Amino acid sequence: MITESAAAQWDLELDDLFLTIGHRFGRVELRRRMRDYVRGLLAPVARKNSWQLAEQAGHSTPDGLQHLLAGSKWEPDDIRDDLQEYVAGKLGKADGVLIIDDTGFIKKGTTSAGVQRQYSGTAGRTENCQIGVFAAYASACGRALVDRELYLPKSWTEDRERCRTARVPDEREFATKGELARHMVLRALASPLPITWVTADSAYGQDNRFRRLLEQSGVGYVLAVPKSQFSVGCSRIEGLFAQAPDEAWEKISCGDGAKGPRIYLWAAVRLPAVAEESFPSTLASWPTRSRPATCSALSRTWADITAPGAGDWWACSPACTTPGCVLRRPSGWRSRTATSPTRGGGWRISIGPGRPRGRSGPRRARCTTTAG
């Protein structure tokens, strides 16, 4: 329950944020409308259209808010940069995590930019919707959205007149969700945000270009990949787990879910080193699969900051320094304790050499992942 003092402090913090980005709006009335618009988005308004947001702000008509969004001159990307600097100052920690995910916004009609019938993870089915790809920053201090990209299907980018009607810039070309995610990761790594890990679901983890970007950037990562993902010595990653002996499995908590504790049995195996262009002789993989178990133990996990899809497989670095995440290294199949998100799948971990950004010293391992 939120107390009055907490609400007052939250209001002061919001005013502080408004002061941080206010200089991006050239006129005082635009700054006031920006504040009213943001407060309206955060308010319990049933439908967040211009009319209802204007009513929430006490405006007689929505003209002012519509002008703010469609007629006035300000650069959203400049505000994004200010926001990332603000979040770094408030929530930044050395072990910060960047989370990539997409979500759908169900729409009626065909005029909203990027709208078409497409799969929406939010709805769990194909709907007439827009898809946005988002980046969130999380640390022990809290979490916040720090970047966004609107996905434009080819049905839009190949119809320039339709794009102009929706005010989509002419230079905007088709880009996959993975490409949009790569752009956001590069921006985040160039920002003041201290990022040690990047995590995403299988839509991004199965994209080898996304994984290579993270390896080349020297940042750790935990990415889901499908259980059908190719693995060294096995056509499908799931085939490896049929070989696991009973003693390889260890009971680990994955946090509290909507239906109570999520307890799984975990196991991991080291694969032969894989030669890749970026890391010729040092890349290895540890796939891990989990299966449900019954246990009352609970622990705080990454499930607190991200919600993976059902059936995903995940992975984590054997050199991971996250508290509570330990991988013991006997030969062959090995037990592991992990605090990464999961929902009844397994992990595939790719380990490559690299150094944390802005630090010198010995190379540390980093991880990629798997989902299914």
Side-chain angles (χ1 to χ4, degrees):
M1 181 176 180
I2 301 177
T3 63
E4 287 189 15
S5 60
Q9 181 62 34
W10 182 87
D11 200 50
L12 290 174
E13 290 287 344
L14 189 57
D15 284 336
D16 185 29
L17 176 58
F18 289 150
L19 289 174
T20 300
I21 65 175
H23 69 285
R24 299 296 185 182
F25 300 85
R27 302 175 63 179
V28 64
E29 62 268 23
L30 291 180
R31 290 192 286 273
R32 289 172 180 165
R33 290 168 185 167
M34 176 269 295
R35 294 185 182 205
D36 290 342
Y37 180 71
V38 172
R39 289 184 183 277
L41 291 176
L42 297 173
V45 179
R47 294 187 61 193
K48 291 181 170 59
N49 55 40
S50 295
W51 275 101
Q52 295 205 17
L53 293 179
E55 182 179 355
Q56 171 72 19
H59 299 184
S60 57
T61 71
D63 294 349
L65 296 184
Q66 289 174 347
H67 175 71
L68 170 71
L69 299 177
S72 59
K73 292 185 178 180
W74 50 279
E75 291 296 331
D77 289 347
D78 290 341
I79 297 175
R80 176 206 58 216
D81 295 342
D82 289 342
L83 174 64
Q84 291 181 347
E85 184 174 357
Y86 176 84
V87 171
K90 298 293 184 178
L91 305 180
K93 290 293 182 181
D95 59 350
V97 180
L98 187 71
I99 306 161
I100 303 295
D101 199 6
D102 55 73
T103 191
F105 304 92
I106 297 177
K107 294 287 184 178
K108 295 181 179 179
T110 60
T111 58
S112 297
V115 70
Q116 73 167 22
R117 286 192 59 80
Q118 53 194 324
Y119 180 79
S120 166
T122 307
R125 58 184 180 274
T126 299
E127 286 280 1
N128 191 63
C129 65
Q130 295 170 300
I131 299 293
V133 183
F134 294 89
Y137 181 81
S139 72
C141 296
R143 55 194 181 270
L145 291 174
V146 293
D147 206 349
R148 80 288 170 255
E149 287 284 359
L150 176 66
Y151 171 68
L152 287 180
K154 287 185 177 180
S155 62
W156 275 82
T157 56
E158 293 174 354
D159 188 343
R160 302 317 306 182
E161 189 59 36
R162 188 184 187 190
C163 285
R164 293 187 188 101
T165 302
R167 301 196 177 188
V168 175
D170 286 340
E171 60 271 17
R172 178 66 186 272
E173 297 180 350
F174 174 75
T176 65
K177 299 184 185 93
E179 288 173 319
L180 298 178
R182 294 200 295 274
H183 294 323
M184 289 194 294
V185 167
L186 289 175
R187 288 197 295 260
L189 293 177
S191 77
L193 292 167
I195 298 169
T196 300
W197 296 93
V198 175
T199 185
D201 65 16
S202 59
Y204 306 95
Q206 66 184 342
D207 183 351
N208 66 329
R209 291 167 297 181
F210 186 67
R211 300 196 304 271
R212 298 301 159 261
L213 170 68
L214 298 178
E215 291 167 358
Q216 293 163 4
S217 299
V219 62
Y221 55 94
V222 178
L223 305 171
V225 302
K227 61 185 179 182
S228 59
Q229 186 86 5
F230 167 79
S231 176
V232 176
C234 190
S235 60
R236 292 169 63 98
I237 195 79
E238 63 177 349
L240 290 172
F241 299 104
Q243 307 169 25
D246 291 342
E247 58 269 22
W249 298 93
E250 182 177 354
K251 188 181 295 182
I252 301 296
S253 167
C254 194
D256 205 359
K259 298 182 180 179
R262 295 189 296 173
I263 308 299
Y264 300 90
L265 294 176
W266 294 81
V269 64
R270 182 168 184 169
L271 300 179
V274 180
E276 298 205 13
E277 181 179 355
S278 300
F279 308 109
S281 61
T282 55
L283 191 66
S285 294
W286 279 258
T288 308
R289 182 181 181 181
S290 62
R291 57 189 184 193
T294 301
C295 180
S296 59
L298 289 175
S299 68
R300 179 176 175 83
T301 73
W302 283 7
D304 293 312
I305 58 175
T306 185
D312 281 359
W313 293 33
W314 296 85
C316 188
S317 167
C320 176
T321 58
T322 303
C325 188
V326 179
L327 177 63
R328 294 193 290 274
R329 297 184 170 189
S331 60
W333 280 93
R334 52 200 74 191
S335 301
R336 65 168 291 131
T337 303
T339 54
S340 300
T342 183
R343 260 198 199 168
W347 296 54
R348 174 181 182 274
I349 306 160
S350 299
I351 311 303
R355 296 182 178 87
R357 291 190 308 128
R359 301 181 187 177
S360 59
R363 292 187 173 189
R364 65 181 276 190
R366 76 172 57 71
C367 62
T368 71
T369 59
T370 9

